[in-house]
Amino acid sequence: MVLVEDSFTIRRQLLQRLDTVPGLRVVGEAADEATALTLIGYLQPDAVLLDLSLAQGGSGIAVLKALRKQGYRGQVHVLSHQTEAYRAAVLAAGADGFFDKAEELELMLRQLTGQPEVPPPRPFDAAALHERLDQMVRLAVRDGSDLVVHVLAGSAEALQPLAARLITGLDGGDLVGWLGTSDGARLCIAQIDGEDAPPLASRAELQGSALRLGRAQLPDDALSAGGLVTLAELRALGRLP
């Protein structure tokens, strides 16, 4: 699959969700018309996810028309925030589907994969979490964004259902994953511009439970993924204020 999207933030969120779908693999990314057409012509992917508005004043409809004129027969699904205004024109130009990128991503995935239900995202394991968090920290430092890391400590029985709720409630660019620990379960949540507590796990909800919450923020507390996680974990365990 080739992903054509000019917004770096949205592309990152889409890639993170696509990466969790069995059988899907992104082989190319583009932000403008020329790069998109070159990549798709070279790679001949099975499918293209195409933003309606592209960098440098580019048009997703123009890319779609050019692809069909060139004989490209793969699936092309167009994503936009302006679905109703452009739906007829996009479908007439040869798109297989036209979806609201904020509300209809799961519907698009079902149509793309031909599956009645696409497996929901799952929390990352410890190795994948640290790899993704390293990437997230580098991007936040580059962009000057605030990054908040939460660690919830408690029993696996208490954290498992909470993890399932968090993974569906967070924004696409946020992370949920398990820390590799030998003395108990730890759930890590990382958010750009996050709050004092992660969604669906407010301090009021945590009161009276066996779960404990720790928090660390970039750049105030640490500048590395490992540093942020360790501080948040020690605060969750009550070893640091």
Side-chain angles (χ1 to χ4, degrees), residues 48-86:
V48 175
L49 294 189
L50 179 61
D51 186 20
L52 189 63
S53 300
L54 300 176
Q56 303 172 12
S59 164
I61 293 182
V63 172
L64 173 60
K65 289 180 177 179
L67 289 174
R68 294 311 190 199
K69 186 176 181 180
Q70 294 166 6
Y72 176 70
R73 297 182 180 275
Q75 294 188 57
V76 180
H77 296 282
V78 178
L79 303 175
S80 175
H81 291 302
Q82 305 169 358
T83 48
E84 294 312 313
Y86 291 93

Side-chain angles (χ1 to χ4, degrees), residues 2-88:
V2 167
L3 175 59
V4 185
E5 168 63 63
D6 64 335
S7 167
F8 177 82
T9 299
I10 294 175
R11 194 182 338 149
R12 177 168 58 89
Q13 294 173 355
L14 289 171
L15 285 168
Q16 186 165 332
R17 179 63 180 107
L18 293 170
D19 191 43
T20 68
V21 180
L24 290 186
R25 184 166 66 94
V26 175
V27 295
E29 303 173 41
D32 59 80
E33 286 185 24
T35 305
L37 290 171
T38 299
L39 277 175
I40 296 164
Y42 177 70
L43 295 168
Q44 289 297 307
D46 294 330
V48 175
L49 294 189
L50 179 61
D51 186 20
L52 189 63
S53 300
L54 300 176
Q56 303 172 12
S59 164
I61 293 182
V63 172
L64 173 60
K65 289 180 177 179
L67 289 174
R68 294 311 190 199
K69 186 176 181 180
Q70 294 166 6
Y72 176 70
R73 297 182 180 275
Q75 294 188 57
V76 180
H77 296 282
V78 178
L79 303 175
S80 175
H81 291 302
Q82 305 169 358
T83 48
E84 294 312 313
Y86 291 93
R87 182 181 299 277

